[in-house]
Amino acid sequence: MSTEKKSAVTRARILTTGRDLVLAHGFGGVGLKELLERSGVPKGSFYYYFSSKEAFGCALLEDYIDSYLQRFDALVGEPGSGGDRLMRYFSAWIADDCADSIADRCLVVKLAAEISDLSEDMRQVLDAGVAQLVARLSQLLREGVADGSVRLQPDPDAAAGVLYSQWLGAAILAKLSKSRTPLHAALADTRQRLLP
């Protein structure tokens, strides 16, 4: 394996390990020593890959956003009407039968409040990622309206923003209550409001 490829693999391992640690402890609760030990990287190597913990946080969020949007695209890329694909995506937020639901692994749910006061750069990365997702939801709403599987939305961009806000709030409440009830309520409301 070339040095460049080995470096990319190690960097990816740090980011993957970091994501798990941040999901468990928050960004502020993750120490560099634990991160490097868990990822099997020598103690002094962190700054070879990232100029600071904040730079690591930005890279972590960029990596997360990329994988999140890929998962979104895969979920809605399967055949079906716009409404079917929209409900497939939101059903994945719950995924009662597996521990890897979107809500359980969402860094927006975990970090939005923490990093908005901690790091402007990280806040901007996360905000831009949310904007990309909302734009995709808006497009999906338009497709659903066009094929008749979603009720007419006078402003699909605004509707997509409200929809994502509702689901983000439901995910936070689900985390707080340690219950999927808020997510099930959001799914029922989404279905009732959007599907004919």
Side-chain angles (χ1 to χ4, degrees), residues 11 15 19 50 54-70 107 111 115 121-129 132:
R11 185 179 189 276
L15 291 173
R19 185 185 301 183
F50 308 100
E54 183 179 24
F56 160 74
C58 288
L60 175 78
L61 293 174
E62 289 164 354
D63 183 65
Y64 170 73
I65 290 164
D66 287 346
S67 66
Y68 188 102
L69 293 176
Q70 287 173 12
L107 285 180
L111 295 180
I115 65 166
D121 289 342
M122 288 174 66
R123 185 201 65 76
Q124 288 178 1
V125 169
L126 201 54
D127 188 48
Q132 290 178 66

Short mmCIF file of all heavy atoms in Angstrom, two decimals, residues 11 15 19 50 54-70 107 111 115 121-129 132:
data_model
loop_
_atom_site.label_atom_id
_atom_site.label_comp_id
_atom_site.label_asym_id
_atom_site.label_seq_id
_atom_site.Cartn_x
_atom_site.Cartn_y
_atom_site.Cartn_z
N ARG A 11 -6.54 8.29 8.20
CA ARG A 11 -7.40 9.47 8.42
C ARG A 11 -8.87 9.05 8.50
O ARG A 11 -9.61 9.49 9.38
CB ARG A 11 -7.19 10.49 7.30
CG ARG A 11 -7.94 11.79 7.49
CD ARG A 11 -7.63 12.75 6.32
NE ARG A 11 -8.15 14.07 6.55
CZ ARG A 11 -9.41 14.44 6.28
NH1 ARG A 11 -10.27 13.56 5.78
NH2 ARG A 11 -9.80 15.68 6.52
N LEU A 15 -11.59 9.39 11.63
CA LEU A 15 -12.91 10.01 11.48
C LEU A 15 -14.03 9.04 11.89
O LEU A 15 -14.98 9.45 12.57
CB LEU A 15 -13.11 10.50 10.05
CG LEU A 15 -12.26 11.69 9.63
CD1 LEU A 15 -12.41 11.97 8.15
CD2 LEU A 15 -12.60 12.93 10.46
N ARG A 19 -16.43 9.68 15.00
CA ARG A 19 -17.89 9.79 14.90
C ARG A 19 -18.56 8.98 16.00
O ARG A 19 -19.48 9.46 16.67
CB ARG A 19 -18.38 9.31 13.54
CG ARG A 19 -19.88 9.53 13.35
CD ARG A 19 -20.43 8.96 12.07
NE ARG A 19 -19.81 9.50 10.89
CZ ARG A 19 -20.18 9.19 9.67
NH1 ARG A 19 -21.18 8.36 9.46
NH2 ARG A 19 -19.56 9.70 8.62
N PHE A 50 -4.75 16.45 11.07
CA PHE A 50 -5.63 17.59 11.33
C PHE A 50 -4.84 18.68 12.06
O PHE A 50 -4.10 18.38 13.00
CB PHE A 50 -6.82 17.16 12.20
CG PHE A 50 -7.55 15.97 11.66
CD1 PHE A 50 -7.32 14.71 12.18
CD2 PHE A 50 -8.44 16.10 10.61
CE1 PHE A 50 -7.97 13.60 11.68
CE2 PHE A 50 -9.10 14.99 10.09
CZ PHE A 50 -8.86 13.74 10.63
N GLU A 54 -10.56 21.49 16.19
CA GLU A 54 -11.63 22.11 15.42
C GLU A 54 -11.57 21.68 13.95
O GLU A 54 -12.60 21.38 13.33
CB GLU A 54 -11.57 23.63 15.52
CG GLU A 54 -12.71 24.32 14.80
CD GLU A 54 -12.67 25.83 14.92
OE1 GLU A 54 -11.58 26.39 15.16
OE2 GLU A 54 -13.73 26.45 14.76
N ALA A 55 -10.36 21.60 13.38
CA ALA A 55 -10.21 21.12 12.00
C ALA A 55 -10.67 19.67 11.90
O ALA A 55 -11.31 19.28 10.92
CB ALA A 55 -8.76 21.26 11.54
N PHE A 56 -10.36 18.87 12.91
CA PHE A 56 -10.87 17.50 12.97
C PHE A 56 -12.40 17.52 12.99
O PHE A 56 -13.05 16.75 12.27
CB PHE A 56 -10.33 16.78 14.20
CG PHE A 56 -11.14 15.58 14.62
CD1 PHE A 56 -11.08 14.41 13.89
CD2 PHE A 56 -11.96 15.64 15.72
CE1 PHE A 56 -11.84 13.30 14.26
CE2 PHE A 56 -12.72 14.55 16.10
CZ PHE A 56 -12.66 13.37 15.37
N GLY A 57 -12.99 18.40 13.80
CA GLY A 57 -14.45 18.50 13.89
C GLY A 57 -15.07 18.86 12.55
O GLY A 57 -16.08 18.28 12.15
N CYS A 58 -14.47 19.79 11.83
CA CYS A 58 -14.97 20.16 10.50
C CYS A 58 -14.88 18.98 9.54
O CYS A 58 -15.83 18.69 8.81
CB CYS A 58 -14.20 21.36 9.95
SG CYS A 58 -14.57 22.91 10.78
N ALA A 59 -13.75 18.28 9.56
CA ALA A 59 -13.58 17.10 8.69
C ALA A 59 -14.58 16.01 9.07
O ALA A 59 -15.15 15.35 8.19
CB ALA A 59 -12.15 16.59 8.78
N LEU A 60 -14.79 15.82 10.36
CA LEU A 60 -15.75 14.83 10.84
C LEU A 60 -17.15 15.15 10.32
O LEU A 60 -17.85 14.27 9.81
CB LEU A 60 -15.75 14.83 12.37
CG LEU A 60 -16.78 13.94 13.06
CD1 LEU A 60 -16.33 12.49 13.02
CD2 LEU A 60 -16.98 14.38 14.49
N LEU A 61 -17.54 16.41 10.40
CA LEU A 61 -18.87 16.81 9.93
C LEU A 61 -18.98 16.70 8.41
O LEU A 61 -20.02 16.27 7.89
CB LEU A 61 -19.20 18.22 10.40
CG LEU A 61 -19.38 18.36 11.91
CD1 LEU A 61 -19.57 19.81 12.31
CD2 LEU A 61 -20.54 17.50 12.41
N GLU A 62 -17.94 17.09 7.69
CA GLU A 62 -17.97 16.96 6.23
C GLU A 62 -18.11 15.49 5.82
O GLU A 62 -18.89 15.17 4.92
CB GLU A 62 -16.70 17.57 5.62
CG GLU A 62 -16.68 19.09 5.70
CD GLU A 62 -15.31 19.69 5.47
OE1 GLU A 62 -14.31 18.94 5.34
OE2 GLU A 62 -15.23 20.93 5.42
N ASP A 63 -17.37 14.62 6.49
CA ASP A 63 -17.45 13.18 6.21
C ASP A 63 -18.85 12.66 6.54
O ASP A 63 -19.43 11.89 5.77
CB ASP A 63 -16.38 12.46 7.03
CG ASP A 63 -16.33 10.98 6.76
OD1 ASP A 63 -15.99 10.61 5.63
OD2 ASP A 63 -16.63 10.20 7.69
N TYR A 64 -19.39 13.08 7.66
CA TYR A 64 -20.74 12.67 8.06
C TYR A 64 -21.78 13.13 7.04
O TYR A 64 -22.65 12.36 6.63
CB TYR A 64 -21.06 13.23 9.45
CG TYR A 64 -22.52 13.05 9.81
CD1 TYR A 64 -23.02 11.79 10.14
CD2 TYR A 64 -23.40 14.12 9.79
CE1 TYR A 64 -24.36 11.61 10.44
CE2 TYR A 64 -24.74 13.95 10.09
CZ TYR A 64 -25.21 12.70 10.42
OH TYR A 64 -26.54 12.53 10.71
N ILE A 65 -21.70 14.39 6.64
CA ILE A 65 -22.66 14.94 5.68
C ILE A 65 -22.60 14.17 4.36
O ILE A 65 -23.64 13.80 3.80
CB ILE A 65 -22.42 16.45 5.47
CG1 ILE A 65 -22.82 17.20 6.74
CG2 ILE A 65 -23.19 16.97 4.24
CD1 ILE A 65 -22.28 18.62 6.81
N ASP A 66 -21.40 13.90 3.89
CA ASP A 66 -21.25 13.12 2.65
C ASP A 66 -21.93 11.76 2.77
O ASP A 66 -22.69 11.35 1.88
CB ASP A 66 -19.78 12.93 2.28
CG ASP A 66 -19.11 14.19 1.76
OD1 ASP A 66 -19.83 15.16 1.42
OD2 ASP A 66 -17.87 14.21 1.71
N SER A 67 -21.69 11.06 3.86
CA SER A 67 -22.27 9.73 4.02
C SER A 67 -23.78 9.82 4.23
O SER A 67 -24.54 8.98 3.73
CB SER A 67 -21.59 8.94 5.13
OG SER A 67 -21.83 9.52 6.38
N TYR A 68 -24.23 10.84 4.94
CA TYR A 68 -25.67 11.03 5.18
C TYR A 68 -26.39 11.26 3.85
O TYR A 68 -27.43 10.65 3.58
CB TYR A 68 -25.90 12.20 6.12
CG TYR A 68 -27.34 12.35 6.56
CD1 TYR A 68 -27.74 11.91 7.82
CD2 TYR A 68 -28.31 12.91 5.74
CE1 TYR A 68 -29.06 12.03 8.24
CE2 TYR A 68 -29.62 13.03 6.14
CZ TYR A 68 -29.99 12.59 7.38
OH TYR A 68 -31.30 12.69 7.79
N LEU A 69 -25.85 12.16 3.03
CA LEU A 69 -26.49 12.47 1.75
C LEU A 69 -26.46 11.26 0.82
O LEU A 69 -27.40 11.03 0.05
CB LEU A 69 -25.85 13.70 1.11
CG LEU A 69 -26.09 15.01 1.86
CD1 LEU A 69 -25.32 16.15 1.20
CD2 LEU A 69 -27.57 15.34 1.99
N GLN A 70 -25.41 10.46 0.89
CA GLN A 70 -25.36 9.23 0.10
C GLN A 70 -26.46 8.26 0.55
O GLN A 70 -27.12 7.63 -0.28
CB GLN A 70 -23.99 8.56 0.21
CG GLN A 70 -22.89 9.26 -0.53
CD GLN A 70 -21.52 8.67 -0.26
OE1 GLN A 70 -21.39 7.60 0.32
NE2 GLN A 70 -20.49 9.39 -0.67
N LEU A 107 -25.64 13.28 13.77
CA LEU A 107 -24.76 14.26 14.40
C LEU A 107 -25.40 15.63 14.50
O LEU A 107 -25.01 16.44 15.33
CB LEU A 107 -23.43 14.36 13.65
CG LEU A 107 -22.45 13.21 13.87
CD1 LEU A 107 -21.17 13.42 13.07
CD2 LEU A 107 -22.12 13.02 15.34
N LEU A 111 -25.08 17.39 17.92
CA LEU A 111 -24.12 18.48 18.02
C LEU A 111 -24.64 19.89 17.74
O LEU A 111 -23.93 20.85 18.03
CB LEU A 111 -22.95 18.23 17.06
CG LEU A 111 -22.09 17.02 17.35
CD1 LEU A 111 -20.99 16.91 16.30
CD2 LEU A 111 -21.51 17.07 18.75
N ILE A 115 -22.17 22.82 19.10
CA ILE A 115 -21.16 23.48 18.27
C ILE A 115 -21.55 24.88 17.81
O ILE A 115 -20.69 25.66 17.43
CB ILE A 115 -20.76 22.63 17.04
CG1 ILE A 115 -21.93 22.46 16.10
CG2 ILE A 115 -20.17 21.32 17.47
CD1 ILE A 115 -21.52 21.95 14.75
N ASP A 121 -16.74 27.68 12.45
CA ASP A 121 -16.43 26.87 11.27
C ASP A 121 -17.25 25.58 11.26
O ASP A 121 -17.82 25.19 10.23
CB ASP A 121 -14.94 26.53 11.20
CG ASP A 121 -14.07 27.73 10.86
OD1 ASP A 121 -14.62 28.74 10.35
OD2 ASP A 121 -12.86 27.66 11.10
N MET A 122 -17.34 24.91 12.39
CA MET A 122 -18.12 23.68 12.47
C MET A 122 -19.61 23.97 12.27
O MET A 122 -20.32 23.22 11.60
CB MET A 122 -17.87 22.97 13.80
CG MET A 122 -16.49 22.34 13.90
SD MET A 122 -16.15 21.64 15.54
CE MET A 122 -17.33 20.31 15.63
N ARG A 123 -20.08 25.07 12.83
CA ARG A 123 -21.48 25.46 12.67
C ARG A 123 -21.80 25.66 11.19
O ARG A 123 -22.82 25.19 10.69
CB ARG A 123 -21.79 26.73 13.45
CG ARG A 123 -23.28 27.12 13.41
CD ARG A 123 -23.52 28.58 13.73
NE ARG A 123 -22.95 29.48 12.75
CZ ARG A 123 -23.46 29.71 11.53
NH1 ARG A 123 -24.55 29.08 11.13
NH2 ARG A 123 -22.88 30.54 10.69
N GLN A 124 -20.91 26.33 10.48
CA GLN A 124 -21.14 26.59 9.06
C GLN A 124 -21.15 25.29 8.24
O GLN A 124 -21.98 25.14 7.33
CB GLN A 124 -20.08 27.54 8.51
CG GLN A 124 -20.25 28.96 8.98
CD GLN A 124 -19.16 29.89 8.48
OE1 GLN A 124 -18.27 29.49 7.74
NE2 GLN A 124 -19.23 31.15 8.88
N VAL A 125 -20.27 24.36 8.56
CA VAL A 125 -20.25 23.08 7.86
C VAL A 125 -21.57 22.35 8.08
O VAL A 125 -22.19 21.85 7.13
CB VAL A 125 -19.05 22.20 8.32
CG1 VAL A 125 -19.17 20.78 7.79
CG2 VAL A 125 -17.73 22.82 7.89
N LEU A 126 -22.01 22.29 9.32
CA LEU A 126 -23.26 21.58 9.63
C LEU A 126 -24.46 22.28 9.01
O LEU A 126 -25.34 21.63 8.44
CB LEU A 126 -23.42 21.47 11.15
CG LEU A 126 -24.33 20.38 11.67
CD1 LEU A 126 -23.95 19.01 11.13
CD2 LEU A 126 -24.31 20.36 13.19
N ASP A 127 -24.49 23.60 9.06
CA ASP A 127 -25.59 24.36 8.48
C ASP A 127 -25.65 24.15 6.97
O ASP A 127 -26.74 23.98 6.40
CB ASP A 127 -25.43 25.85 8.81
CG ASP A 127 -26.64 26.66 8.41
OD1 ASP A 127 -27.78 26.26 8.73
OD2 ASP A 127 -26.45 27.72 7.78
N ALA A 128 -24.51 24.14 6.31
CA ALA A 128 -24.48 23.90 4.86
C ALA A 128 -24.97 22.49 4.53
O ALA A 128 -25.66 22.28 3.52
CB ALA A 128 -23.07 24.12 4.31
N GLY A 129 -24.63 21.53 5.36
CA GLY A 129 -25.11 20.16 5.15
C GLY A 129 -26.62 20.06 5.29
O GLY A 129 -27.28 19.40 4.49
N GLN A 132 -28.24 21.41 2.21
CA GLN A 132 -28.22 20.44 1.10
C GLN A 132 -29.33 19.40 1.25
O GLN A 132 -29.99 19.04 0.27
CB GLN A 132 -26.87 19.73 1.04
CG GLN A 132 -25.72 20.60 0.59
CD GLN A 132 -24.42 19.82 0.60
OE1 GLN A 132 -24.26 18.88 -0.16
NE2 GLN A 132 -23.51 20.20 1.49
#
